[in-house]
């Protein structure tokens, strides 16, 4: 069973930093695009950052210049370095990945999601 698990969330003051990490495990044939979404207290879901298999990254305008996404293909992980945090960054952050999985001798590609990790930024 393929799983994604996030870690690194917590409570920080405005201007501080956090580093989120996400690890994929299971019968993985391939890890394709990976990314981070966030769900705000107002229940708004927003794409934060994505990174392709080759390392090409894209960011939401609201985090550009403050957040950095990276991946380690050897370890099946993706990270999100968050600097200069603002109260409006408060949200549950979810890791997502497009993964090819072995199922009965064939590879099936689907998108997977982690359970989320809470990030709270105080003023």
């Amino acid at each position: 069973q393929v799983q994604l698990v996030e870690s690194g969330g917590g409570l920080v003051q405005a201007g501080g930093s956090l580093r989120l990490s996400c690890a994929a495990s299971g019968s993985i044939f391939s890890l394709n695009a990976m990314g981070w979404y966030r769900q705000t207290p107002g229940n708004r879901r927003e794409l934060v950052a994505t990174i392709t298999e080759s390392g090409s990254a894209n960011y939401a305008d609201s985090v550009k210049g403050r957040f950095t996404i990276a991946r380690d293909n050897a370890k099946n992980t993706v990270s999100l370095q968050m600097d200069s945090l603002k109260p409006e960054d408060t949200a549950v952050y979810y890791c997502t990945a497009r993964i090819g999985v072995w199922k009965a001798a064939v590879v099936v590609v689907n998108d997977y999601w982690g359970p989320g990790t809470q990030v709270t930024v105080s003023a």
Side-chain angles (χ1 to χ4, degrees):
Q1 184 73 35
V2 171
Q3 291 184 331
L4 295 173
V5 180
E6 304 96 339
S7 62
L11 174 64
V12 298
Q13 293 182 335
S17 297
L18 282 174
R19 184 179 183 272
L20 306 182
S21 184
C22 173
S25 62
S27 300
I28 299 172
F29 174 78
S30 62
L31 270 177
N32 307 122
M34 307 183 76
W36 293 89
Y37 281 80
R38 64 187 182 186
Q39 188 93 32
T40 68
N43 216 34
R44 184 168 66 92
R45 197 165 186 86
E46 177 184 30
L47 179 63
V48 177
T50 61
I51 186 166
T52 67
E53 191 173 7
S54 62
S56 180
N58 281 283
Y59 301 91
D61 288 340
S62 59
V63 307
K64 196 171 297 181
R66 300 188 296 120
F67 291 11
T68 303
I69 188 171
R71 63 189 292 160
D72 187 334
N73 292 331
K75 297 181 179 179
N76 291 339
T77 60
V78 61
S79 65
L80 186 69
Q81 178 66 43
M82 304 184 295
D83 298 321
S84 301
L85 283 163
K86 304 174 181 179
E88 51 262 45
D89 295 318
T90 295
V92 178
Y93 284 72
Y94 296 91
C95 172
T96 186
R98 181 159 294 176
I99 304 174
V101 180
W102 283 107
K103 293 185 178 179
V106 298
V107 176
V108 178
V109 179
N110 278 304
D111 293 335
Y112 291 82
W113 295 81
T117 185
Q118 176 70 49
V119 172
T120 303
V121 184
S122 62

